Amino acid sequence: QVDLVQSGGGLVQTGGSLRLSCAASGRTWAIHGTGWFRQGPGKEREFVARIIWGNKDTLYSDSVKGRFTISKDDAENTAYLQMDSLKPGDTDVYYCATLPAGYSGSATYDMDYKFWSQGAQVTVSS
């Protein structure tokens, strides 16, 4: 079992920044990577970014590339999503999730992830 506690989020104006945190506890040795997804009302869950814990390899969706940065603090088993140059279109509920040990693939589909956070609202006002 892996528990994820997400923090951050909130309301920001267009062009502003926010940082989301995702702290993992429990069987952290079984985590291959962390991903961030977002979902709006009536929409499918959308991949945002992911980081592989071992080699820190990162991948971003085209919609956030160059604006968002995913990172991980090894000592704290915490992943971060730094969101800069935010736009109203970034408004959604954001979730973090973990990839299981032994996973291999692009990790851009939510079905690849095993444990999920509670989610946090990010609202970007125009």
Side-chain angles (χ1 to χ4, degrees), residues 32-60:
H32 181 66
T34 298
W36 289 95
F37 288 77
R38 62 188 184 185
Q39 187 172 25
K43 294 163 52 178
E44 291 188 356
R45 196 170 293 177
E46 175 190 3
F47 169 77
V48 174
R50 69 102 172 103
I51 185 167
I52 303 302
W53 281 28
N55 60 12
K56 300 300 191 296
D57 181 67
T58 60
L59 182 67
Y60 298 90

Side-chain angles (χ1 to χ4, degrees), residues 8-14 16-18 83 86 91 121-126:
L11 173 65
V12 66
Q13 292 185 332
T14 297
S17 298
L18 286 172
M83 304 183 292
L86 283 161
T91 296
Q121 178 70 45
V122 170
T123 302
V124 185
S125 63
S126 57

Side-chain angles (χ1 to χ4, degrees), residues 98-112:
T98 58
L99 292 165
Y103 173 85
S104 63
S106 65
T108 59
Y109 296 99
D110 56 2
M111 67 179 67
D112 295 331

Side-chain angles (χ1 to χ4, degrees), residues 10-117:
L11 173 65
V12 66
Q13 292 185 332
T14 297
S17 298
L18 286 172
R19 189 177 79 159
L20 304 178
S21 301
C22 177
S25 61
R27 302 176 68 184
T28 57
W29 55 265
I31 298 174
H32 181 66
T34 298
W36 289 95
F37 288 77
R38 62 188 184 185
Q39 187 172 25
K43 294 163 52 178
E44 291 188 356
R45 196 170 293 177
E46 175 190 3
F47 169 77
V48 174
R50 69 102 172 103
I51 185 167
I52 303 302
W53 281 28
N55 60 12
K56 300 300 191 296
D57 181 67
T58 60
L59 182 67
Y60 298 90
S61 69
D62 288 343
S63 61
V64 307
K65 194 176 298 181
R67 300 188 297 122
F68 291 11
T69 304
I70 188 171
S71 62
K72 179 189 173 285
D73 182 325
D74 291 337
E76 299 294 330
N77 288 325
T78 299
Y80 300 95
L81 185 69
Q82 176 66 40
M83 304 183 292
D84 299 318
S85 302
L86 283 161
K87 308 173 183 178
D90 296 317
T91 296
D92 267 329
V93 177
Y94 284 70
Y95 301 87
C96 64
T98 58
L99 292 165
Y103 173 85
S104 63
S106 65
T108 59
Y109 296 99
D110 56 2
M111 67 179 67
D112 295 331
Y113 293 78
K114 187 169 183 178
F115 298 102
W116 290 81
S117 67

